[in-house]
């Protein structure tokens, strides 16, 4: 059974890296592509992330570091623009598994949930509002923007997930791999300073 999960993770990893699919969608599409039953046990996100790291090291080692750097630079620019909403970066761009197909995820911790939306309107930034599942399992507002990356020469999906300020408590605990699940602009700036593509 673990061998099958490893195989599903490997197929899903290619879809995440090459097509920019989200983890859940990639796992579901992988089992469909492999002709497996819809109820097939799926690899967990940690197993998929390991497969993504392996895929990148084999197939993208020459391009991924530069692409990741470009995404982190763009993320930092937006974190600085949105500083008053207490932005934190999360996901593949923070953890280092992002490629040019990856979107950027910033989590905003606001005193008023509508303040970020009003802030984007004031900045004349076009966005698409929707609701997504947040890190506590409940629905949160998400404001999606197309942000231009000069380094990549293309637009990148930027998703601003809006949380209450109180949600920040406990949000910085390490994950199962001992990593911080999200970081503020200072941590990202330090990472960019320490890692040169």
């Amino acid at each position: 059974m673990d061998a099958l999960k490893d195989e599903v993770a490997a197929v899903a990893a290619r879809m995440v890296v090459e097509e920019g699919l989200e983890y859940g969608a990639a796992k579901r599409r992988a089992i469909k592509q492999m002709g497996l039953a819809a109820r097939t046990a799926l690899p967990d996100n940690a197993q998929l992330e390991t497969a993504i790291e392996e895929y990148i090291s084999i197939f993208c080692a020459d391009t991924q570091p530069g692409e990741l750097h470009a995404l982190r630079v763009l993320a930092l620019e937006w974190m600085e623009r949105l500083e008053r909403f207490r932005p934190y970066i999360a996901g593949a761009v923070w953890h280092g598994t992002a490629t040019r197909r990856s979107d950027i995820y910033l989590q905003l911790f606001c005193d008023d949930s509508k303040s970020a939306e009003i802030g984007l309107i004031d900045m004349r930034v076009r966005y698409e509002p929707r609701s997504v599942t947040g890190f506590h399992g409940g629905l949160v507002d998400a404001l999606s923007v197309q942000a231009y990356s000069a380094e990549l020469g293309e637009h990148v999906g930027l998703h601003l997930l809006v949380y209450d300020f109180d949600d920040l408590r406990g949000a910085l605990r390490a994950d199962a791999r001992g990593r911080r699940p999200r970081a503020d602009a200072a941590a990202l700036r330090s990472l960019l300073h320490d890692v040169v593509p």
Side-chain angles (χ1 to χ4, degrees):
M1 187 62 85
D2 285 344
L4 182 58
K5 284 185 180 180
D6 287 342
E7 191 175 341
V8 171
V11 172
R14 181 187 54 76
M15 295 174 182
V16 170
V17 174
E18 299 295 336
E19 301 174 39
L21 285 184
E22 298 293 324
Y23 285 13
K27 289 187 239 182
R28 289 187 298 275
R29 205 161 113 199
I31 63 166
K32 187 174 182 180
Q33 182 177 310
M34 295 168 69
L36 300 172
R39 292 182 176 218
T40 300
L42 298 173
D44 61 22
N45 286 348
Q47 190 173 4
L48 177 53
E49 194 162 346
T50 299
I52 291 168
E53 291 167 354
E54 290 171 4
Y55 186 92
I56 288 171
S57 71
I58 295 168
F59 298 105
C60 309
D62 55 338
T63 58
Q64 191 265 349
E67 293 172 358
L68 175 63
H69 182 266
L71 292 170
R72 285 176 168 170
V73 166
L74 183 60
L76 183 58
E77 288 172 11
W78 277 86
M79 291 175 82
E80 289 170 348
R81 286 180 76 179
L82 300 168
E83 182 180 10
R84 67 184 182 271
F85 306 115
R86 300 177 193 94
Y88 281 74
I89 186 168
V93 176
W94 168 240
H95 290 303
T97 56
T99 67
R100 71 183 317 117
R101 299 280 178 245
S102 303
D103 287 350
I104 298 169
Y105 290 87
L106 299 183
Q107 298 169 346
L108 310 180
F109 294 89
C110 306
D111 295 318
D112 172 13
S113 63
K114 289 297 175 191
S115 63
E117 197 166 350
I118 293 167
L120 290 180
I121 292 168
D122 289 346
M123 289 187 280
R124 292 176 167 56
V125 173
R126 293 179 61 185
Y127 64 91
E128 181 180 324
R130 60 191 175 110
S131 294
V132 299
T133 303
F135 61 78
H136 288 308
L139 290 179
V140 298
D141 291 335
L143 310 172
S144 296
V145 173
Q146 286 296 308
Y148 185 74
S149 166
E151 283 186 54
L152 294 176
E154 62 188 57
H155 284 85
V156 174
L158 171 69
H159 307 286
L160 310 172
L161 281 62
V162 183
Y163 292 91
D164 289 329
F165 177 65
D166 291 343
D167 290 330
L168 190 52
R169 276 190 306 227
L172 302 177
R173 277 194 288 261
D175 66 11
R177 294 174 73 175
R179 303 172 306 178
R180 290 173 44 194
R182 56 196 52 80
D184 62 13
L188 181 57
R189 197 176 293 112
S190 176
L191 186 63
L192 279 166
H193 182 267
D194 293 344
V195 180
V196 178

